[in-house]
């Protein structure tokens, strides 16, 4: 089965368009103010308005309040919500959209227990644990910690053109998620790096 690709932290129209043209299955839009890749609802609305209809638009939040998510969904065309904090299953599922639940991987992480708890999630997104940083660390984690679960796995955390092929071979995820690994600067995507990354995924 083909490994899907989500390119996260999109801040510019031209990067979203190039990701779509390069075969990305989804783009991620960050609505977490401390992130260097955060964008406004107005920016997101512009980016999503002209995006290819077969590219999913993922809105990323970290421990938001209900009002923030609701206002985003009112203003921006969103297909999937990604929750990257300590949100409860009840909170995540109240917006009547498919959602991804991020898991920051540690040695004692019990993926089966988390998958059961978040049974309403469309997938679990596995990311690197770093104290005080909910995501976007640019670092990989020990992939041997991953156990098979009855839910799709999206692999994130420090992926780039040099390691994504090996990551796919070892983990066999449903999808991979990349942000910093295809950037020339924070929030600015390198089209050359996107092309190479997509080629490495296809060759895996």
């Amino acid at each position: 089965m083909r490994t899907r690709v989500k390119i996260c932290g999109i801040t510019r129209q031209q990067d979203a368009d190039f990701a779509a043209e390069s075969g990305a299955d989804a783009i991620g839009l960050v609505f977490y103010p401390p992130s260097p890749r955060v964008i406004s609802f107005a920016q997101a609305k512009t980016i999503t308005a002209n995006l290819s209809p077969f590219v999913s638009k993922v809105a990323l939040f970290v421990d938001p309040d209900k009002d923030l998510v609701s206002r985003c969904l009112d203003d921006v065309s969103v297909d999937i919500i990604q929750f990257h904090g300590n949100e409860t299953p009840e909170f995540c599922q109240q917006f009547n959209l498919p959602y991804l639940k991020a898991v920051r991987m540690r040695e004692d992480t019990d993926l089966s227990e988390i998958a059961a708890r978040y049974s309403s999630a469309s997938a679990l997104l596995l990311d690197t644990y770093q104290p005080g940083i909910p995501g976007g660390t640019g670092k990989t984690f020990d992939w041997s910690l991953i156990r098979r679960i009855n839910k799709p796995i999206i692999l994130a955390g420090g992926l780039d053109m040099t390691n994504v092929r090996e990551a796919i071979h070892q983990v066999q995820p449903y999808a991979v998620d990349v942000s910093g690994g295809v950037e020339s600067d924070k929030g600015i995507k390198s089209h050359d790096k996107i092309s190479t990354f997509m080629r490495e995924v296809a060759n895996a």
Side-chain angles (χ1 to χ4, degrees), residues 7 18 20 22-23 30 47 71 101 114-115 120 127 149 173 201 203:
I7 298 181
F18 189 82
S22 300
V30 177
I47 290 170
R71 284 190 290 115
K101 184 65 187 78
I114 295 170
S120 56
D127 204 351
I149 55 174
V201 172
N203 288 340

Side-chain angles (χ1 to χ4, degrees), residues 62-95:
V62 181
D63 294 319
D65 58 38
K66 179 182 177 181
D67 181 61
L68 177 67
V69 180
S70 296
R71 284 190 290 115
C72 175
L73 299 183
D74 286 342
D75 285 357
V76 183
S77 173
V78 171
D79 301 304
I80 304 167
I81 307 174
Q82 178 176 327
F83 291 108
H84 221 95
N86 298 308
E87 303 88 357
T88 65
E90 294 73 23
F91 182 88
C92 296
Q93 65 195 19
Q94 69 182 307
F95 301 101

Side-chain angles (χ1 to χ4, degrees), residues 6-199:
K6 171 173 165 271
I7 298 181
C8 201
I10 294 286
T11 64
R12 306 189 303 171
Q13 179 77 58
Q14 60 265 43
D15 295 344
D17 292 343
F18 189 82
E21 292 164 9
S22 300
D25 300 276
I27 62 164
L29 306 167
V30 177
F31 301 105
Y32 176 57
S35 170
R37 302 174 182 93
V38 67
I39 59 173
S40 67
F41 294 162
Q43 286 174 289
K45 191 171 184 177
T46 300
I47 290 170
T48 58
N50 300 307
L51 195 64
S52 166
F54 292 118
V55 176
S56 296
K57 301 170 287 288
V58 182
L60 186 155
F61 299 93
V62 181
D63 294 319
D65 58 38
K66 179 182 177 181
D67 181 61
L68 177 67
V69 180
S70 296
R71 284 190 290 115
C72 175
L73 299 183
D74 286 342
D75 285 357
V76 183
S77 173
V78 171
D79 301 304
I80 304 167
I81 307 174
Q82 178 176 327
F83 291 108
H84 221 95
N86 298 308
E87 303 88 357
T88 65
E90 294 73 23
F91 182 88
C92 296
Q93 65 195 19
Q94 69 182 307
F95 301 101
N96 298 316
L97 274 181
Y99 76 90
L100 314 175
K101 184 65 187 78
V103 179
R104 296 158 69 200
M105 293 295 294
R106 306 170 80 161
E107 287 190 8
D108 60 352
T109 298
D110 185 341
L111 280 181
S112 294
E113 187 276 329
I114 295 170
R117 185 179 176 218
Y118 290 91
S119 60
S120 56
S122 295
L124 296 185
L125 184 145
L126 310 186
D127 204 351
T128 302
Y129 175 81
Q130 192 166 323
I133 302 176
T137 65
K139 301 179 186 301
T140 59
F141 64 90
D142 180 359
W143 300 326
S144 70
L145 296 173
I146 299 172
R147 297 290 179 264
R148 290 279 156 234
I149 55 174
N150 60 347
K151 193 171 285 297
I153 284 175
I154 301 171
L155 183 63
L159 296 178
D160 60 27
M161 67 187 81
T162 68
N163 61 17
V164 70
R165 193 189 300 205
E166 176 57 31
I168 291 170
H169 280 302
Q170 185 170 329
V171 178
Q172 298 180 356
Y174 170 79
V176 291
D177 185 310
V178 65
S179 184
V182 291
E183 287 182 339
S184 55
D185 201 357
K186 294 286 187 183
I188 307 300
K189 303 308 184 196
S190 162
H191 294 187
D192 286 342
K193 288 183 179 180
I194 289 176
S195 295
T196 305
F197 186 88
M198 296 300 296
R199 191 160 56 246

